[in-house]
């Protein structure tokens, strides 16, 4: 059982909380968000977990094995770094960080601390993406030089 805390209950946070809650291998223990309205909304669905409005209190919780971060990208590096340094595995919403150097530092730190650093790729397992990979892998469309696609009916 992976005991997990979520930072950020904005756009993607409710989806993540639901998935962690419904997964028999994870136990959602806490949600941290600066918005009291967002925390109040989460409390209606998950009344049994802890709700925090600052990350200092969040990181004091020694029960957490992993931290999921669904906050603005400008906060990803510092939050992920802190999570790894405090002994947690990290799941990051995309984009991972703002700069390549930050990504390299997080990867190095996770390796040093023997922690998993995971990045969300929302559609990597969808039928369309898997089919494209299959076609490319089988050489059905020749040598791929560039690929571009547009999602037209989901979210922002």
């Amino acid at each position: 059982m992976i005991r997990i805390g979520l930072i950020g209950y904005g756009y993607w946070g409710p989806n993540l909380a639901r998935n962690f809650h419904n997964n028999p291998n994870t136990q959602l223990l806490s949600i941290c968000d600066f918005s009291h309205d967002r925390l109040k909304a989460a409390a209606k669905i998950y009344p049994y977990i802890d709700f925090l409005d600052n990350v200092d209190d969040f990181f004091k919780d020694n029960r957490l094995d992993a931290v999921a971060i669904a906050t603005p990208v400008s906060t990803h590096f510092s939050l992920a770094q802190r999570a790894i340094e405090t002994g947690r595995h990290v799941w990051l919403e995309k984009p991972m960080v703002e700069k390549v150097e930050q990504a390299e530092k997080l990867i190095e730190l996770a390796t040093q601390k023997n922690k998993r650093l995971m990045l969300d790729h929302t559609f990597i397992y969808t039928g369309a993406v898997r089919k494209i990979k299959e076609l490319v892998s089988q050489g059905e469309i020749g040598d791929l030089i560039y690929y571009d696609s547009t999602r037209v009916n989901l979210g922002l």
Side-chain angles (χ1 to χ4, degrees):
M1 178 68 65
I2 300 170
R3 298 167 302 175
I4 194 157
L6 171 62
I7 304 175
Y9 197 76
Y11 186 73
W12 282 112
N15 299 313
L16 299 174
R18 180 191 68 240
N19 291 334
F20 291 132
H21 170 74
N22 291 339
N23 185 324
N25 298 311
T26 60
Q27 180 182 13
L28 181 62
L29 296 181
S30 62
I31 295 175
C32 180
D33 197 290
F34 297 131
S35 167
H36 291 278
D37 290 340
R38 299 302 302 153
L39 291 176
K40 203 177 336 179
K44 290 178 182 175
I45 302 168
Y46 311 104
Y48 55 88
I49 68 169
D50 295 332
F51 298 97
L52 305 151
D53 63 2
N54 74 71
V55 294
D56 291 331
D57 289 340
F58 178 87
F59 281 112
K60 288 178 186 175
D61 187 345
N62 292 325
R63 301 172 301 162
L64 300 177
D65 300 313
V67 174
I69 300 169
T71 58
V73 68
S74 62
T75 65
H76 285 188
F77 177 74
S78 62
L79 291 172
Q81 181 179 33
R82 190 166 178 186
I84 295 167
E85 287 175 345
T86 58
R88 279 71 177 236
H89 302 286
V90 173
W91 182 96
L92 273 172
E93 181 58 65
K94 66 189 172 328
M96 181 179 182
V97 287
E98 294 177 296
K99 299 176 182 171
V100 171
E101 295 81 15
Q102 293 173 325
E104 291 169 343
K105 285 180 185 178
L106 288 179
I107 292 166
E108 183 179 328
L109 181 61
T111 301
Q112 288 172 356
K113 299 283 187 178
N114 196 30
K115 296 299 168 190
R116 299 278 183 191
L117 175 61
M118 299 162 277
L119 179 63
D120 176 33
H121 291 285
T122 307
F123 298 105
I124 197 165
Y125 299 106
T126 62
V129 171
R130 292 171 72 174
K131 185 63 177 182
I132 292 166
K133 182 180 183 334
E134 177 187 327
L135 292 172
V136 170
S137 296
Q138 292 176 351
E140 293 288 323
I141 57 176
D143 294 331
L144 186 64
I145 297 170
Y146 178 81
Y147 174 79
D148 184 32
S149 68
T150 303
R151 170 181 79 175
V152 294
N153 66 344
L154 180 62
L156 299 174

